[in-house]
Amino acid sequence: MNITRACRLARVLAAAYIALIAAGGVAHGLAGGPENGPESLYSTLYLASWPGSVLVFVLVVLPLAAATGGFDPDARAGSPFGPVALLVGGALLNVGMVWGVLRFVRLFVREARRAR
């Protein structure tokens, strides 16, 4: 398998991963959100986008909440599609982190070969 075919496959897999997370989040929202929807679907989506969704929450949602005066976690009002942004943002961040790690490994291998 040549590099261009592997890169194309990686891009398709990354897009499919993000699309599946987004579709699952929309399906969860259509089912009624966290209150009425299936909780196992949200848990599965959250785990599928895990390190990225936590980072999005800590680096984006919490600072925005602090800048706008905070939020009430017990409030039931809001869109049932609220978690979709968190999940898709986490999936995007996961793809970016994997891309960065792979770029670092390629750079490391290239420099190790050059140092011989």
Side-chain angles (χ1 to χ4, degrees):
M1 179 179 285
N2 59 13
I3 291 294
T4 57
R5 180 176 272 170
C7 289
R8 190 174 304 129
L9 178 65
R11 287 184 186 125
V12 167
L13 288 176
Y17 167 68
I18 293 168
L20 283 174
I21 294 291
V26 169
H28 180 68
L30 289 175
E35 294 85 24
N36 301 326
E39 190 61 35
S40 62
L41 176 61
Y42 180 71
S43 299
T44 303
L45 292 172
Y46 183 75
L47 287 175
S49 65
W50 171 59
S53 58
V54 171
L55 289 173
V56 167
F57 186 76
V58 170
L59 298 175
V60 176
V61 175
L62 287 179
L64 283 175
T68 59
F71 61 90
D72 184 14
D74 294 329
R76 298 290 181 194
S79 173
F81 297 102
V84 175
L86 180 70
L87 295 172
V88 172
L92 287 169
L93 192 58
N94 285 342
V95 168
M97 287 188 296
V98 168
W99 177 79
V101 166
L102 291 176
R103 293 292 297 176
F104 175 77
V105 168
R106 288 181 65 196
L107 175 70
F108 184 80
V109 168
R110 185 174 57 229
E111 291 297 321
R113 286 182 184 159
R114 192 179 299 169
R116 285 187 202 174

